[in-house]
Amino acid sequence: MSEGVSLKVKLSLIMVFVEVFLLILSLNECHCIPFNNHGGSLSTDRRSDGFLPEISPNSAPQPLLPLLAPSPFAPFTNITIPKLSGQCTLNFTAAQSLMRTTSTDCWSIFAPLLANVICCPQLEATLAILMGQSSKDTRTLALNETVSKHCLSDIEQILAGQGAESNVNKICSIHLSNLTGGSCPVKDVNEFEGTVDSSKLLAACENIDPVKECCDQVCQNSILETATKLALKASEVLIIAGSHGLTEHSTKVDDCKHIVLRWLAGKLEPSRAKEVLRGLSNCKVNKVCPLVFPDMRHVAKGCGNEISNETECCSAMESYVSHLQKQSLITNLQALDCATTLGMKLQRSNITKDVYSLCHITLKDFSLQG
């Protein structure tokens, strides 16, 4: 009996923290997507599939801006001494404040739920900043695979020792490429600055507005331009041999983006670098739906054939959306993309009626925040 009461108290505490998070994070709005006031719905170009929920212009989707939200969990974390490898060359001592922020943003209870919008963007920013700050002394923007393995393990140990999820690297899909140079041909700071217009890059990214950047993409475009130039460094004339060559070039550009971000993190103060990197990740987070859509045969069965049984159809839809909801906390802009994606899947399953309206499913039903 006491265990049941204790569990209820713990769950209640968790929900209080979630509500505090959502209250803080909902204070910011992004208006890259135009809304109109005709009938209280989204603009017609975003509703072409006929399955999107009705959304009032007064409830415009609001992105999570992690860099503006404090980490409220610090008083509840217990610090333990981690067992480090002694083989990592990164300076953790100089990044103690950054590591503390990351450990609280990836707090063990919330990490799986907040991974997409809070924990993983902060962890990725931390890795880039550690590498960038290290490059001031080493003059290199990448580690070899052996050292990278030790560093990733050490970072996870340090974070877990401060209350973070013990397998945060797995949750955030952190790989050796987050510290190595991958296939990018430029890894040396001097070679980097001799290859690209570093002054232009720094001017575009040293001070970004986290909302305007998602719309204007000034810094993002500069990063892409720089990464593309680095990727072409190996051969001044790019010869693409079919789709394989195109894929290889795309991979190089992606790897070089990591190098560019590390260089930026080395040129900025850690606090400023964190704001820039979190601002960029916020734009990336809101571009796609992070949910995994399972097989929907039972929905097709209940809602097909012109929906002969509305109760059965709505029960199947509610069960399906409930499964999606439990996967992760997502932003309202992500929920919009998820609703669009599910709408297209419903169409491909020959479900032609607007089941969103029929079953009263709205954007909030796609996230735990509902």
Side-chain angles (χ1 to χ4, degrees):
M1 181 68 179
S2 60
E3 291 182 359
V5 174
S6 176
L7 178 59
K8 288 183 179 179
V9 172
K10 185 176 181 181
L11 290 175
S12 299
L13 181 60
I14 290 175
M15 291 310 300
V16 168
F17 280 132
V18 169
E19 290 173 1
V20 171
F21 250 126
L22 296 175
L23 178 62
I24 295 172
L25 296 173
S26 66
L27 298 177
N28 305 282
E29 294 188 19
C30 175
H31 298 283
C32 295
I33 302 174
F35 287 82
N36 60 39
N37 195 25
H38 299 102
S41 62
L42 286 175
S43 55
T44 54
D45 60 325
R46 292 304 298 268
R47 289 191 47 123
S48 58
D49 60 43
F51 280 107
L52 286 180
E54 296 286 329
I55 307 170
S56 166
N58 294 328
S59 300
Q62 300 172 349
L64 262 64
L65 296 181
L67 64 92
L68 297 179
S71 297
F73 308 130
F76 299 93
T77 57
N78 295 319
I79 298 177
T80 59
I81 299 176
K83 297 179 181 179
L84 304 183
S85 66
Q87 304 298 315
C88 179
T89 57
L90 298 178
N91 188 351
F92 298 126
T93 303
Q96 287 182 353
S97 176
L98 182 65
M99 298 293 282
R100 281 195 299 270
T101 299
T102 306
S103 65
T104 52
D105 282 354
C106 296
W107 197 31
S108 58
I109 296 178
F110 285 103
L113 302 179
L114 300 177
N116 173 59
V117 292
I118 299 291
C119 172
C120 298
Q122 175 63 26
L123 178 57
E124 290 170 1
T126 297
L127 295 176
I129 293 170
L130 284 170
M131 285 298 305
Q133 295 298 312
S134 173
S135 71
K136 294 179 179 180
D137 299 319
T138 64
R139 306 301 293 172
T140 182
L141 296 164
L143 302 176
N144 63 46
E145 289 193 0
T146 301
V147 177
S148 294
K149 287 180 182 178
H150 290 301
C151 288
L152 287 182
S153 176
D154 287 355
I155 291 170
E156 194 169 59
Q157 290 288 325
I158 293 172
L159 295 178
Q162 296 179 350
E165 174 62 44
S166 59
N167 63 339
V168 68
N169 286 344
K170 182 179 180 180
I171 290 176
C172 295
S173 299
I174 299 297
H175 305 292
L176 294 181
S177 59
N178 289 89
L179 295 180
T180 65
S183 60
C184 186
V186 178
K187 303 175 181 68
D188 179 78
V189 172
N190 294 331
E191 186 179 3
F192 179 101
E193 295 175 351
T195 302
V196 303
D197 188 344
S198 56
S199 298
K200 178 183 176 182
L201 172 64
L202 190 59
C205 296
E206 63 181 341
N207 290 297
I208 68 169
D209 184 301
V211 175
K212 290 182 179 179
E213 174 60 30
C214 296
C215 302
D216 302 335
Q217 301 184 28
V218 174
C219 178
Q220 295 170 80
N221 288 336
S222 185
I223 290 172
L224 176 60
E225 178 185 344
T226 304
T228 301
K229 195 164 187 178
L230 294 177
L232 294 173
K233 177 70 174 179
S235 55
E236 295 298 330
V237 180
L238 178 64
I239 301 176
I240 299 178
S243 59
H244 176 72
L246 184 60
T247 301
E248 183 178 339
H249 174 66
S250 177
T251 301
K252 278 188 177 182
V253 172
D254 287 340
D255 289 341
C256 287
K257 284 183 181 178
H258 286 297
I259 297 296
V260 176
L261 292 177
R262 294 170 200 171
W263 180 86
L264 279 171
K267 290 298 178 180
L268 303 174
E269 288 299 316
S271 59
R272 169 59 62 183
K274 187 188 77 168
E275 290 184 5
V276 169
L277 295 177
R278 290 296 295 270
L280 294 174
S281 68
N282 177 61
C283 300
K284 179 181 176 182
V285 159
N286 283 313
K287 284 181 179 179
V288 296
C289 171
L291 303 181
V292 177
F293 294 86
D295 183 86
M296 57 191 312
R297 279 177 291 184
H298 72 291
V299 176
K301 180 180 178 181
C303 300
N305 301 321
E306 296 299 323
I307 310 182
S308 57
N309 188 326
E310 292 186 1
T311 301
E312 181 183 354
C313 171
C314 289
S315 177
M317 277 297 298
E318 289 168 6
S319 175
Y320 191 88
V321 173
S322 176
H323 174 82
L324 297 178
Q325 185 188 70
K326 294 174 183 177
Q327 291 183 27
S328 175
L329 176 74
I330 62 176
T331 70
N332 283 348
L333 288 176
Q334 287 176 317
L336 182 61
D337 287 325
C338 292
T340 305
T341 301
L342 179 56
M344 291 187 291
K345 287 182 176 292
L346 291 170
Q347 286 184 327
R348 287 196 290 268
S349 297
N350 295 320
I351 300 173
T352 56
K353 192 164 184 177
D354 185 357
V355 292
Y356 283 173
S357 296
L358 176 67
C359 302
H360 307 290
I361 294 174
T362 61
L363 286 187
K364 69 179 183 179
D365 295 311
F366 284 83
S367 172
L368 284 169
Q369 97 184 59

